[in-house]
Amino acid sequence: MTGHGPITGKEPRTLLVLARHGQTVWHAENRYAGVSDIGLTPHGVAQAARLAEWARTARLDRIVCSPVPRALETAWPSARATGLTPAVEDALREIDFGVAEGRTIAELRSADPDMVARFLADPVTHHFPQGEPPAEAADRATAALRDIAAAHPGRTVLVVAHNTIVRLSLCRLMGIDLRSYRTVFPRLRNCALTEVSLPPGGIGTASLLAFNIPLALGGVPAVSP
């Protein structure tokens, strides 16, 4: 991504539409997927198709997605619907959950209840062992989103990424304590829409315009933002 250029005060804001990828087998079972390569379920494929129906008339200027296969699989139907080619941004990959990859909270609690208790109390300071520090993940993803905004002033960009990395980024963009990401933003529905407006150059505090709005059949928001 390009760096920030000079700000004149005349540049328009950028609208980022953030969408979590479609459902996978592990997410249906509430397992941590992180950086693991887990494909979409048939339901997840249908969710991606509904996202594409929405994208067809959303007047998007750009599609950017995580390199993790489930995000790419979700982004491509929207790309075909709009004629846009997804730009793959490595910094938008999901956080690595370390020892939690492929496991549920119940399984982790059974193996090490103290570890889970520490994580639930402060998921940033006491993130899962062998995993990526959430603060570092938030820094790289937020920097990528700000660069996307800076490169597309006044444009609308669909960003397809992941549950935790989006919630961490929202906290960073809005000045919310990262330790609160699980309570302020409990979860993102698969392929639901979250809209964030960023100031000129991608610099400054973002405005949250809509959060976690599910798509109904026909690719329209099920709830008016």
Side-chain angles (χ1 to χ4, degrees), residues 24-91:
T24 73
V25 173
W26 279 10
H27 293 97
E29 299 172 351
N30 208 26
R31 296 182 182 278
Y32 285 99
V35 295
S36 300
D37 182 3
I38 308 299
L40 301 185
T41 63
H43 183 56
V45 172
Q47 290 172 328
R50 287 199 293 274
L51 181 64
E53 290 176 22
W54 167 83
R56 192 185 308 277
T57 59
R59 299 182 180 179
L60 298 175
D61 298 293
R62 189 72 162 154
I63 297 175
V64 182
C65 71
S66 153
V68 180
R70 60 184 180 271
L72 282 164
E73 189 177 353
T74 300
W76 267 108
S78 292
R80 289 189 289 268
T82 58
L84 299 170
T85 300
V88 177
E89 175 52 67
D90 183 66

Side-chain angles (χ1 to χ4, degrees), residues 62-163:
R62 189 72 162 154
I63 297 175
V64 182
C65 71
S66 153
V68 180
R70 60 184 180 271
L72 282 164
E73 189 177 353
T74 300
W76 267 108
S78 292
R80 289 189 289 268
T82 58
L84 299 170
T85 300
V88 177
E89 175 52 67
D90 183 66
L92 296 176
R93 67 189 182 279
E94 180 62 299
I95 189 171
D96 186 336
F97 290 109
V99 300
E101 294 266 328
R103 303 168 77 182
T104 67
I105 277 285
E107 291 170 348
L108 292 164
R109 184 180 283 113
S110 177
D112 191 339
D114 290 340
M115 176 188 71
V116 171
R118 290 192 297 270
F119 169 76
L120 294 177
D122 183 347
V124 174
T125 303
H126 302 296
H127 62 84
F128 292 121
Q130 301 173 34
E132 181 181 12
E136 294 180 11
D139 286 345
R140 47 113 167 145
T142 303
L145 293 176
R146 291 193 183 281
D147 282 348
I148 292 168
H152 301 88
R155 305 291 180 145
T156 299
V157 182
L158 172 63
V159 178
V160 181
H162 307 270
N163 186 38

